[in-house]
Amino acid sequence: MSSWDLYPNARTEVGRLERVIVHKPGDEFKSVVDPDVWGWEGLPRQKRAAKEHDEFVAVLEEHGVTVHELGDPAVDLAESLFVRDVGFAIEGGLVVGNMVEETRHGEERQLTERAVDLGVPIYHTVHGPAGFEAGNLVWLDEETVAVGRSKTTNAEGIRQLRSVLDTYDVNLIEVPIFGSTESSGQTHLTLVFGMVAPDLALIYPQALPSEFQELLADRGIETIEVPMREQRNRVTSSVVVDPGTVLLSAGNPQTRRALEARGIEVREMDIREISKTLGGLKGLLLPLERSQP
């Protein structure tokens, strides 16, 4: 398969999802002995986590999404299931990040090797002192991305990213995430902000600067404020599979009601076991192709 056959472009969070890369949790989970070292809430049961992932993939395929498996990771890369964090697609190729967390070093190489297998070129790999994890990148529209500055994405990472995106006339808006520059607090923008329609977003306002919230309002983007309990359940890390259809982690009734009140179909996904790793649904897939809404 050549890059012409598989043309990665996903300059939106809310168009129809066409192709993705995922990774089903496997034996690499067994490498984690002390969940505190990884910042997890416990040790996930691998078989249960794999079943949750299978159910997630089944829903994607039900909606016509072509799913590519990442492949077998190194035995110690226990967070390989969160493929979105490692890179993003634009204009026929991938930008690969530079993982800051030491436990995730090596995920960049496995994504790069899989991209080569698929015939997808690598346009840029964030390098040197730069840190960039793509869980900090959220498209507002096809010409604008918001990038969270946190302990997993630093100023040099943003500089390199801005240079790449300038090539494609994409504007980058830097968003400091409150509390995230230290060892505690949120580390990815997707855990506090997520687009669910061209003019609608889920936000956890306590973690976002007022200037960014005002920018959303100026752009005509309505926001649904999620409560703390549901933010901790990773509710902003939702996945739009088709315009008007959102996959939401189960157990977030307030956000579900708010979305349904605006005419959005919600499908709940049980990821209780996967959630012990403190990741959300959005992190479980790397979009290769999305149509514009």
Side-chain angles (χ1 to χ4, degrees):
M1 181 180 291
S2 69
S3 57
W4 181 257
D5 298 317
L6 176 58
Y7 187 81
N9 200 34
R11 291 171 62 156
T12 176
E13 305 286 347
V14 298
R16 184 177 186 275
L17 196 57
E18 305 280 358
R19 292 180 185 266
V20 300
I21 296 177
V22 304
H23 174 63
K24 179 177 177 177
D27 288 343
E28 68 277 0
F29 263 23
K30 299 175 184 177
S31 69
V32 179
V33 177
D34 182 357
D36 291 338
V37 172
W38 291 71
W40 292 2
E41 290 182 336
L43 287 174
R45 293 171 293 177
Q46 185 269 327
K47 289 184 179 179
R48 177 59 198 171
K51 184 175 185 295
E52 291 173 352
H53 195 274
D54 284 342
E55 293 167 353
F56 175 62
V57 169
V59 172
L60 296 177
E61 292 178 334
E62 178 185 326
H63 283 266
V65 181
T66 299
V67 177
H68 300 278
E69 171 59 45
L70 178 66
D72 295 329
V75 294
D76 59 343
L77 294 179
E79 292 191 358
S80 294
L81 72 165
F82 295 117
V83 288
R84 179 187 173 109
D85 296 346
V86 192
F88 67 95
I90 184 169
E91 301 299 323
L94 289 184
V95 175
V96 177
N98 191 15
M99 310 302 285
V100 172
E101 299 290 343
E102 186 175 351
T103 54
R104 305 196 68 176
H105 291 173
E107 292 185 33
E108 306 95 335
R109 177 173 178 174
Q110 67 185 20
L111 176 61
T112 299
E113 290 175 348
R114 183 62 175 127
V116 170
D117 290 341
L118 292 170
V120 178
I122 305 299
Y123 287 162
H124 183 79
T125 298
V126 177
H127 58 276
F132 170 65
E133 297 186 6
N136 272 317
L137 184 147
V138 179
W139 291 93
L140 302 187
D141 56 46
E142 64 179 325
E143 297 177 347
T144 315
V145 294
V147 177
R149 190 180 74 238
S150 71
K151 70 171 186 173
T152 56
T153 295
N154 62 18
E156 174 59 17
I158 290 174
R159 186 198 67 77
Q160 289 187 27
L161 191 60
R162 195 186 301 275
S163 177
V164 174
L165 293 173
D166 280 347
T167 305
Y168 304 105
D169 297 321
V170 174
N171 182 41
L172 186 155
I173 298 169
E174 185 176 332
V175 184
I177 307 173
F178 294 158
S180 64
T181 55
E182 302 297 334
S183 60
S184 61
Q186 303 304 325
T187 58
H188 285 160
L189 183 62
T190 55
L191 296 179
V192 294
F193 169 67
M195 297 294 297
V196 290
D199 56 357
L200 184 63
L202 302 177
I203 68 167
Y204 181 61
Q206 292 90 328
L208 296 170
S210 57
E211 294 83 1
F212 180 63
Q213 297 180 54
E214 291 165 3
L215 179 146
L216 296 175
D218 290 344
R219 286 173 167 262
I221 298 174
E222 180 188 1
T223 57
I224 296 172
E225 296 187 5
V226 306
M228 179 182 293
R229 186 189 66 81
E230 296 191 2
Q231 185 276 325
R232 289 178 174 174
N233 199 28
R234 272 67 75 181
V235 70
T236 61
S237 185
S238 57
V239 175
V240 175
V241 285
D242 293 302
T245 304
V246 174
L247 306 185
L248 206 67
S249 54
N252 297 295
Q254 184 171 322
T255 302
R256 176 172 186 156
R257 287 193 298 268
L259 289 171
E260 291 177 336
R262 290 161 175 81
I264 293 177
E265 178 186 353
V266 175
R267 296 196 61 172
E268 290 192 337
M269 304 300 306
D270 180 3
I271 57 166
R272 283 176 291 182
E273 209 65 32
I274 288 173
S275 290
K276 292 178 181 178
T277 65
L278 299 186
L281 276 178
K282 194 186 295 289
L284 295 177
L285 57 85
L286 191 163
L288 290 176
E289 292 184 80
R290 273 192 189 272
S291 61
Q292 287 299 318

